Amino acid sequence: MAETRNPKPAAKAPDSTRRSERSRRAIYEAALSLVGEVGYTRTTIEGIAARAGVGKQTIYRWWPSKAAVLLEAFLDLGEQAAEAAGAEGGEYEIPDTGDLAADLKTVLRATVDELLDPKYEAPSRALTAAGIVDPALGAEFVEKLLEPSLQLYVNRLRAAQEAGDVRTGIDPRIALELLVAPLAHRWLLRTLPLTHEYADAVVDYALGGLAPR
Amino acid sequence: MAETRNPKPAAKAPDSTRRSERSRRAIYEAALSLVGEVGYTRTTIEGIAARAGVGKQTIYRWWPSKAAVLLEAFLDLGEQAAEAAGAEGGEYEIPDTGDLAADLKTVLRATVDELLDPKYEAPSRALTAAGIVDPALGAEFVEKLLEPSLQLYVNRLRAAQEAGDVRTGIDPRIALELLVAPLAHRWLLRTLPLTHEYADAVVDYALGGLAPR
């Protein structure tokens, strides 16, 4: 989403750049906390500006809408998480140790932790709920946030297919849904506890199949 | 949810019973259409009463809250769908023809049709979205609507396990999530089209497993 972000003001003094960076971070944090507290509908640019301690014109200069601010705040949160996990420049991919089950368990356990992270959970629920009833917001959410992360599964499953660890004929874009959807389902609907053990079971069931071998 | 519904007024004249039944149906329809149009938060008992052409005291006499009206309206919709499908007294169970894959495809294809039914889709999205951000409503939704329908899968998968069509050691309550969660995920997040072909693929992948046999 670099196109909606203010280009680095190369001509300005370092002080100004640092100030911009600080404002940007304050705006992200304000947007995420606010949407988690009052929901998407009642979150406003004015409210975000007030909480971030910036003028609302600062926000309008950098982003066209509150949806854009929020989506970018989430992207930034994801990049921070990836950097914290040691991924190169915030880029993330699913590990390939040659053991597909172990690699999927690693990434799905990390997903469980992320979904239950208090910093992430309330705003993420609010944004998901808003997208469920607002098709335009939902489409942006899927295109910019969800689908790129699902593509990582496509890549890993395709590599597994080439290595002979996934049956030929399996469509990786469908197969990944048997892995990620059960976790999303428990998280969104709170049917039963979302745990590492559950993530492991989902991987084992999906790879091994429910039918006898 | 018979406990929140007005008991059949046995002592009253048939005319009054018919009138009550007509009001009850009008209230369900008003509640479902309204929540689909304006969302859960902005749906009120007053609004439902006005659209149904009844006094709001009529609604308060029969239901303790708008959540109760809506949950019961959904239960009724499900019962109607089951009756239309020929199920005994609105009771529904997953068919057991002895062919597990075929039976699961039958029920998941029907689920696809139901999720995409215009009468169902908007109110169901609104209620699901509301439950995602409101834990108390979500819990009621799961307990009264979702979990009973998931139990049907537990029953069918347990029968399949006894018939040797599902591996021993598989927990049916987890296994069913590999079947229903992918459909819910596509439906809620609108990632890709929700079709009968997709439902079939989910069944084949879940039963056969992604790994080579």
Side-chain angles (χ1 to χ4, degrees):
Chain A
M1 288 180 65
E3 70 283 6
T4 63
R5 193 181 292 165
N6 199 32
K8 288 255 186 307
K12 290 193 191 170
D15 265 13
S16 161
T17 306
R18 261 204 303 280
R19 219 164 33 239
S20 291
E21 178 58 26
R22 210 160 48 226
S23 295
R24 192 169 64 87
R25 179 109 0 237
I27 290 164
Y28 288 161
E29 281 169 14
L32 291 173
S33 63
L34 207 53
V35 80
E37 288 165 29
V38 304
Y40 181 77
T41 310
R42 283 189 286 165
T43 295
T44 59
I45 295 279
E46 286 74 9
I48 296 170
R51 182 166 296 196
V54 303
K56 68 179 181 176
Q57 284 316 314
T58 303
I59 299 184
Y60 282 122
R61 198 160 58 235
W62 292 346
W63 295 279
S65 66
K66 75 172 174 181
V69 181
L70 270 164
L71 287 166
E72 207 167 318
F74 269 99
L75 283 173
D76 182 70
L77 200 61
E79 280 164 21
Q80 281 181 62
E83 270 164 27
E88 215 32 60
E91 283 299 314
Y92 197 72
E93 61 178 36
I94 296 175
D96 189 347
T97 66
D99 182 340
L100 178 62
D103 294 346
L104 291 173
K105 286 175 187 177
T106 298
V107 73
L108 288 183
R109 283 171 172 230
T111 300
V112 167
D113 295 343
E114 190 180 312
L115 291 172
L116 300 180
D117 180 343
K119 201 169 74 178
Y120 175 94
E121 178 154 22
S124 188
R125 282 187 177 279
L127 194 64
T128 306
I132 285 170
V133 292
D134 176 345
L137 178 69
E140 220 176 319
F141 172 82
V142 166
E143 181 199 333
K144 295 191 173 137
L145 277 171
L146 184 59
E147 206 57 54
S149 79
L150 297 184
Q151 198 56 44
L152 305 177
Y153 288 87
V154 171
N155 299 342
R156 182 64 186 86
L157 290 170
R158 196 161 280 148
Q161 215 161 21
E162 281 159 18
D165 296 330
V166 164
R167 286 191 280 143
T168 52
I170 292 277
D171 178 345
R173 182 60 190 73
I174 295 176
L176 73 88
E177 295 178 76
L178 274 72
L179 298 163
V180 304
L183 272 68
H185 196 257
R186 280 208 177 186
W187 178 65
L188 286 174
L189 305 177
R190 304 185 193 82
T191 45
L192 287 173
L194 180 61
T195 62
H196 284 190
E197 292 66 34
Y198 177 65
D200 290 355
V202 167
V203 171
D204 289 333
Y205 287 17
L207 293 182
L210 306 178
R213 300 236 129 192
Chain B
M1 288 181 63
E3 69 282 9
T4 63
R5 195 181 292 165
N6 200 31
K8 290 255 188 302
K12 291 191 190 169
D15 265 14
S16 161
T17 305
R18 262 204 303 279
R19 218 162 35 238
S20 290
E21 179 59 25
R22 210 159 49 223
S23 295
R24 193 169 62 86
R25 180 114 355 242
I27 290 164
Y28 288 161
E29 281 169 15
L32 291 173
S33 63
L34 207 54
V35 79
E37 287 165 31
V38 306
Y40 180 78
T41 310
R42 284 187 286 164
T43 295
T44 60
I45 295 279
E46 286 75 7
I48 297 169
R51 182 166 297 197
V54 302
K56 69 178 181 177
Q57 284 316 315
T58 303
I59 299 185
Y60 281 122
R61 197 160 57 236
W62 291 347
W63 296 278
S65 65
K66 74 172 175 182
V69 181
L70 270 164
L71 287 166
E72 206 168 316
F74 269 98
L75 283 173
D76 183 71
L77 199 61
E79 279 164 21
Q80 280 182 64
E83 269 164 27
E88 211 39 57
E91 282 299 313
Y92 198 72
E93 61 179 36
I94 296 174
D96 189 347
T97 66
D99 181 340
L100 178 62
D103 294 346
L104 290 173
K105 286 174 187 178
T106 299
V107 73
L108 288 184
R109 282 171 172 231
T111 301
V112 167
D113 294 343
E114 190 180 312
L115 290 172
L116 301 180
D117 181 342
K119 201 168 73 178
Y120 175 94
E121 179 155 22
S124 188
R125 282 187 177 280
L127 194 63
T128 306
I132 285 171
V133 293
D134 176 344
L137 178 69
E140 220 176 321
F141 172 83
V142 167
E143 181 199 333
K144 297 193 172 134
L145 277 172
L146 184 58
E147 207 58 53
S149 80
L150 296 183
Q151 198 57 43
L152 305 177
Y153 288 86
V154 171
N155 299 343
R156 182 64 186 87
L157 289 170
R158 197 161 280 148
Q161 215 160 22
E162 281 159 20
D165 296 330
V166 164
R167 286 191 279 144
T168 52
I170 292 276
D171 178 345
R173 182 59 190 74
I174 295 177
L176 73 88
E177 295 178 76
L178 274 72
L179 298 163
V180 304
L183 273 68
H185 196 258
R186 281 209 178 185
W187 178 64
L188 285 174
L189 305 177
R190 305 185 193 81
T191 46
L192 286 173
L194 180 61
T195 62
H196 284 190
E197 292 67 34
Y198 178 66
D200 290 355
V202 167
V203 171
D204 289 333
Y205 287 17
L207 292 182
L210 306 178
R213 299 236 131 193

